[in-house]
Amino acid sequence: MISRGGFVLITTQDLGVTAGETVLFSGLDLAVDAGECLVVRGANGAGKSTLLRCLYGNQTPTSGSVSVCGGPPDERSAAFRRRVSVLFDDSALFDELTPRQHLDLLRNSFGGELADGPVPAPDVPAAELSAGQRRRLLLHAAVARPHEVLLLDEPERALDADGRAWLSTLVTTSTGRGAAVVVASHHPPLADEVADYVVDL
Ligand SMILES: Nc1ncnc2c1ncn2[C@@H]1O[C@H](COP(=O)(O)OP(=O)(O)OP(=O)(O)O)[C@@H](O)[C@H]1O
């Protein structure tokens, strides 16, 4: 995949990860410019989450190189985390805080506006939210953080039909503001709606 000539925010060169005896992917050359969305597809265990972890710098690839926002990704770097927002399976909430409190905290830290779309059960402690409500809150939080790059790992998980439609809007809003977005997904309509590129692992 070659950059279309825009401002490139994510590149990989000859990227590969081998887990045990299994080659998850190899020789992966990606380029995602500002304002573009890459959707990563593949069966369970294909390596989608692994690829996203390589882009966030919390997994070291077996071969090749990654550049995100102009350098190697490093999730431990506060400067890097200010430029890259993520939703991973293990993304956590503060159990005792409500959605409203979570989002107030983000607004106080970063300013800016929340995404359109209802905040689920705004006054219920996070520990008591349903899986879909948690996912909606995590998505609100991911896009509320300032970001040049947005990495979303199976964001459609646990969302209802309205939530999945809202998810597409979130992604296109983010790319419309100039972010480079990478989404690992099992939901074919999402790729149809938001992808500039699709990679099948
Ligand atoms: N560091 C590692 N060491 C050993 N095995 C690993 C490592 N990282 C990933 N794996 C294995 O690689 C495979 C790919 O995992 P990954 O979570 O990336 O797949 P996925 O495409 O996201 O799957 P799913 O659709 O089920 O979420 C799995 O079998 C996983 O156990």
Coordinates of all heavy atoms in Angstrom, one line a residue, residues 17-20 22 24-25 41-53 59-60 89 153-154 157 184 186 201, ligand 1:
V17 N 4.9 -10.5 12.1 CA 4.8 -11.1 13.5 C 4.6 -12.6 13.4 O 3.7 -13.1 12.7 CB 3.7 -10.5 14.4 CG1 3.5 -11.2 15.7 CG2 3.9 -9.0 14.6
T18 N 5.5 -13.3 14.1 CA 5.4 -14.8 14.2 C 5.1 -15.1 15.7 O 5.8 -14.6 16.5 CB 6.7 -15.4 13.8 OG1 6.9 -15.1 12.4 CG2 6.6 -16.9 13.8
A19 N 4.0 -15.8 15.9 CA 3.6 -16.2 17.3 C 3.9 -17.7 17.4 O 3.2 -18.5 16.8 CB 2.2 -15.9 17.5
G20 N 4.9 -18.1 18.2 CA 5.3 -19.5 18.2 C 5.7 -19.9 16.8 O 6.6 -19.3 16.2
T22 N 3.6 -20.0 14.3 CA 2.7 -19.5 13.3 C 3.0 -18.1 12.8 O 3.2 -17.2 13.6 CB 1.3 -19.4 14.0 OG1 0.9 -20.6 14.5 CG2 0.2 -19.0 13.0
L24 N 1.7 -14.9 11.7 CA 0.4 -14.2 11.7 C 0.3 -13.3 10.4 O -0.7 -13.3 9.8 CB 0.3 -13.4 12.9 CG 0.2 -14.1 14.2 CD1 0.0 -13.2 15.4 CD2 -1.0 -15.1 14.2
F25 N 1.4 -12.6 10.2 CA 1.5 -11.8 8.9 C 2.9 -11.5 8.7 O 3.8 -11.5 9.6 CB 0.6 -10.5 9.0 CG 0.8 -9.7 10.2 CD1 1.9 -8.7 10.3 CD2 0.0 -9.8 11.3 CE1 2.0 -7.9 11.4 CE2 0.2 -9.0 12.4 CZ 1.2 -8.1 12.5
R41 N -9.2 -6.7 8.4 CA -10.2 -7.8 8.5 C -9.4 -9.2 8.7 O -8.3 -9.2 8.3 CB -11.1 -7.9 7.3 CG -11.9 -6.7 7.0 CD -12.9 -6.8 5.9 NE -12.2 -7.2 4.6 CZ -12.8 -7.1 3.4 NH1 -14.0 -6.6 3.3 NH2 -12.2 -7.5 2.3
G42 N -10.1 -10.2 9.1 CA -9.5 -11.5 9.2 C -10.2 -12.3 10.3 O -10.9 -11.8 11.2
A43 N -10.1 -13.6 10.1 CA -10.7 -14.6 11.0 C -10.2 -14.4 12.5 O -9.2 -13.8 12.7 CB -10.5 -16.0 10.5
N44 N -10.9 -15.0 13.4 CA -10.4 -15.1 14.8 C -9.0 -15.6 14.8 O -8.7 -16.6 14.2 CB -11.3 -16.0 15.7 CG -12.7 -15.4 15.9 OD1 -13.7 -16.1 15.9 ND2 -12.7 -14.1 16.2
G45 N -8.1 -14.9 15.5 CA -6.7 -15.4 15.6 C -5.8 -15.0 14.4 O -4.7 -15.4 14.4
A46 N -6.4 -14.3 13.5 CA -5.6 -13.9 12.3 C -4.4 -13.0 12.6 O -3.5 -12.9 11.8 CB -6.5 -13.3 11.2
G47 N -4.6 -12.2 13.6 CA -3.5 -11.2 14.0 C -3.9 -9.8 14.0 O -3.1 -8.9 14.0
K48 N -5.2 -9.5 13.9 CA -5.7 -8.1 13.8 C -5.2 -7.3 15.0 O -4.7 -6.2 14.9 CB -7.2 -8.1 13.7 CG -7.7 -8.8 12.4 CD -9.2 -8.8 12.3 CE -10.0 -9.4 13.5 NZ -9.7 -10.9 13.6
S49 N -5.5 -7.9 16.2 CA -5.2 -7.1 17.5 C -3.7 -7.0 17.6 O -3.1 -6.0 18.0 CB -5.7 -7.9 18.7 OG -7.1 -8.0 18.6
T50 N -3.0 -8.0 17.1 CA -1.5 -8.0 17.2 C -1.0 -6.8 16.3 O -0.1 -6.1 16.7 CB -0.9 -9.3 16.7 OG1 -1.5 -10.4 17.5 CG2 0.6 -9.4 16.7
L51 N -1.6 -6.7 15.1 CA -1.1 -5.6 14.2 C -1.4 -4.2 14.9 O -0.5 -3.3 14.9 CB -1.9 -5.7 12.9 CG -1.7 -4.5 12.0 CD1 -0.2 -4.3 11.6 CD2 -2.5 -4.7 10.7
L52 N -2.6 -4.1 15.5 CA -2.9 -2.8 16.2 C -1.9 -2.6 17.4 O -1.5 -1.4 17.6 CB -4.3 -2.8 16.7 CG -5.3 -2.0 15.7 CD1 -5.4 -2.7 14.4 CD2 -6.7 -1.8 16.4
R53 N -1.6 -3.7 18.1 CA -0.6 -3.5 19.2 C 0.8 -3.0 18.6 O 1.5 -2.3 19.3 CB -0.5 -4.8 20.0 CG -1.7 -5.0 20.9 CD -1.4 -6.0 22.0 NE -1.1 -7.4 21.4 CZ -2.0 -8.3 21.2 NH1 -3.3 -8.0 21.5 NH2 -1.7 -9.4 20.7
Q59 N 3.6 -4.1 21.3 CA 4.1 -5.4 20.8 C 5.2 -5.1 19.9 O 5.1 -4.3 19.0 CB 3.0 -6.2 20.1 CG 3.5 -7.4 19.4 CD 2.6 -8.7 19.7 OE1 1.6 -8.6 20.3 NE2 3.1 -9.8 19.3
T60 N 6.3 -5.9 20.1 CA 7.4 -5.7 19.2 C 7.3 -6.7 18.0 O 7.1 -7.9 18.2 CB 8.7 -6.1 20.0 OG1 8.8 -5.2 21.1 CG2 10.0 -5.8 19.1
D89 N -9.4 -4.2 23.6 CA -10.2 -5.0 24.4 C -10.0 -4.8 25.9 O -11.0 -4.9 26.7 CB -9.9 -6.5 24.2 CG -10.8 -7.1 23.2 OD1 -11.8 -6.4 22.8 OD2 -10.7 -8.3 22.8
D153 N -10.0 -1.5 18.1 CA -9.9 -2.9 17.9 C -11.4 -3.5 18.1 O -11.9 -3.5 19.2 CB -9.0 -3.6 19.0 CG -8.7 -5.0 18.6 OD1 -9.2 -5.5 17.6 OD2 -7.9 -5.6 19.4
E154 N -11.9 -4.0 17.0 CA -13.3 -4.5 17.1 C -14.3 -3.6 17.8 O -14.9 -4.0 18.8 CB -13.3 -5.9 17.6 CG -12.5 -6.9 16.7 CD -12.6 -8.3 17.1 OE1 -13.6 -8.8 17.7 OE2 -11.5 -9.0 16.9
R157 N -18.0 -4.5 18.7 CA -18.4 -5.5 19.7 C -19.4 -5.0 20.7 O -19.2 -4.0 21.3 CB -17.1 -6.0 20.4 CG -17.3 -7.3 21.2 CD -16.0 -7.8 21.8 NE -15.2 -8.4 20.7 CZ -14.0 -8.8 21.0 NH1 -13.5 -8.8 22.2 NH2 -13.2 -9.4 20.1
A184 N -9.8 -2.6 13.4 CA -9.9 -4.0 13.2 C -11.3 -4.4 13.4 O -11.9 -4.0 14.4 CB -9.0 -4.8 14.2
H186 N -14.9 -7.2 12.5 CA -15.6 -8.3 11.9 C -16.9 -7.9 11.3 O -17.7 -8.8 11.0 CB -15.9 -9.4 13.0 CG -14.7 -10.1 13.5 ND1 -14.0 -11.0 12.8 CD2 -14.0 -10.1 14.7 CE1 -13.0 -11.6 13.5 NE2 -13.0 -11.0 14.6
L201 N -6.0 -10.1 6.7 CA -5.0 -10.9 7.3 C -5.4 -12.3 7.2 O -6.5 -12.7 7.2 CB -4.7 -10.5 8.8 CG -4.2 -9.1 9.0 CD1 -3.9 -8.9 10.5 CD2 -2.9 -8.8 8.2
Ligands
LIG1 N1 3.0 -12.4 21.9 C1 2.4 -13.5 21.5 N2 2.9 -14.7 21.8 C2 2.3 -15.8 21.4 N3 1.1 -15.8 20.8 C3 0.6 -14.6 20.4 C4 1.2 -13.4 20.8 N4 0.4 -12.4 20.3 C5 -0.6 -13.0 19.7 N5 -0.5 -14.3 19.8 C6 -1.4 -15.3 19.2 O1 -1.6 -14.9 17.8 C7 -2.9 -15.1 17.4 C8 -3.5 -13.9 16.9 O2 -4.1 -13.1 17.9 P1 -4.8 -11.8 17.7 O3 -5.5 -11.5 19.0 O4 -3.9 -10.8 17.1 O5 -5.9 -12.2 16.6 P2 -7.2 -11.4 16.1 O6 -7.2 -11.5 14.6 O7 -7.3 -10.1 16.8 O8 -8.4 -12.4 16.7 P3 -9.9 -12.1 17.1 O9 -10.7 -11.9 15.9 O10 -10.3 -13.5 17.7 O11 -9.9 -11.0 18.1 C9 -3.6 -15.8 18.5 O12 -3.6 -17.2 18.3 C10 -2.8 -15.4 19.7 O13 -2.9 -16.3 20.8

